[in-house]
Amino acid sequence: MKKATILLCLLCSIISFSQQEVLINTKASIVNWKGSMLFSFGGHHGTVNFKDGKIIKTNNKITGGTFTVDMTSLINTDGGYSEDLVKHLKDEDFFNVKEYPIAKLILTKVEYNDNGLLKMHANLSIKGITKPVLFEAKLNSDNTKLTTKFKIDRTDWNIIYGAKGVVKIKDYAISDAIEFDVIVIFGEDKC
């Protein structure tokens, strides 16, 4: 019995040594967003905050993670139309924040490339719809900051207001692409 207990303790310490959870600093991390018009110059940009998040590291390499975004924190930062625009983005035409107050990204696979970039495979859930996304990210030299830029086709998540296939007058068409510029700062280790 004593040998089994020692073996179990040894196994647990090996697992906890090789795998750890690292929480993100939600106050310092941010998601910047940008939407633009399809056939004219113009658009809007702003931010949305993380509610929580963590990465999973195995043998000191990122192997997974979960990030939750608080959609109620969505703001517009380009001035003009700000209050009305935010209200519209939060209603049923766009993100329906009342019914879907969070968006979630779950890392399913991370590949380390020779060029220093990480190829991240993930599932992104917006408005109750989950779709796979693929993007590259850069980890700084001391492993405390992860940055990425990527785009999604909003119509994949049933965000179709002003989409090119829906709007009859092309000058009012909104690009189907939403751009994200994400900065994730890691906090203290949870384990």
Side-chain angles (χ1 to χ4, degrees):
M1 181 69 179
K2 189 175 182 180
K3 285 183 182 180
T5 304
I6 292 171
L7 185 58
L8 183 60
C9 288
L10 181 60
L11 184 59
C12 286
S13 67
I14 289 171
I15 291 170
S16 64
F17 177 75
S18 64
Q19 189 173 66
Q20 62 180 351
E21 291 183 359
V22 180
L23 298 178
I24 70 167
N25 181 330
T26 56
K27 295 203 184 319
S29 302
I30 194 75
V31 178
N32 296 288
W33 60 265
K34 182 180 179 186
S36 55
M37 301 303 291
L38 190 58
F39 292 105
S40 61
F41 296 101
H44 296 287
H45 54 84
T47 62
V48 65
N49 298 327
F50 285 98
K51 183 175 181 178
D52 55 50
K54 67 181 177 183
I55 57 165
I56 308 296
K57 291 176 95 175
T58 306
N59 297 325
N60 212 28
K61 286 193 169 188
I62 298 172
T63 55
T66 304
F67 306 90
T68 305
V69 171
D70 176 7
M71 294 302 292
T72 65
S73 70
L74 186 145
I75 62 168
N76 170 247
T77 57
D78 59 70
Y81 313 112
S82 189
E83 203 172 303
D84 290 337
L85 175 66
V86 169
K87 212 180 277 186
H88 194 202
L89 291 173
K90 288 182 177 182
D91 75 17
E92 295 84 6
D93 283 342
F94 286 95
F95 294 102
N96 196 2
V97 171
K98 187 174 183 179
E99 190 171 340
Y100 304 102
I102 63 166
K104 188 173 248 184
L105 183 115
I106 298 174
L107 295 176
T108 57
K109 181 180 176 184
V110 179
E111 299 172 50
Y112 280 72
N113 294 324
D114 292 338
N115 62 4
L117 295 176
L118 307 175
K119 188 182 224 180
M120 299 198 152
H121 303 256
N123 289 323
L124 177 61
S125 299
I126 302 173
K127 289 180 67 174
I129 299 168
T130 302
K131 298 280 186 176
V133 293
L134 177 64
F135 55 91
E136 288 187 327
K138 185 167 180 63
L139 190 60
N140 71 346
S141 60
D142 62 356
N143 294 326
T144 59
K145 179 179 177 182
L146 186 74
T147 56
T148 185
K149 291 182 181 185
F150 65 99
K151 294 181 182 183
I152 63 166
D153 180 344
R154 65 189 173 95
T155 63
D156 288 342
W157 286 268
N158 199 29
I159 305 166
I160 58 172
Y161 180 87
K164 67 180 176 196
V166 176
V167 174
K168 303 238 186 284
I169 302 170
K170 69 179 184 177
D171 289 342
Y172 295 109
I174 301 169
S175 174
D176 293 347
I178 302 174
E179 299 176 42
F180 296 107
D181 185 346
V182 183
I183 300 167
V184 176
I185 306 295
F186 301 117
E188 299 288 325
D189 285 357
K190 184 179 179 185
C191 297

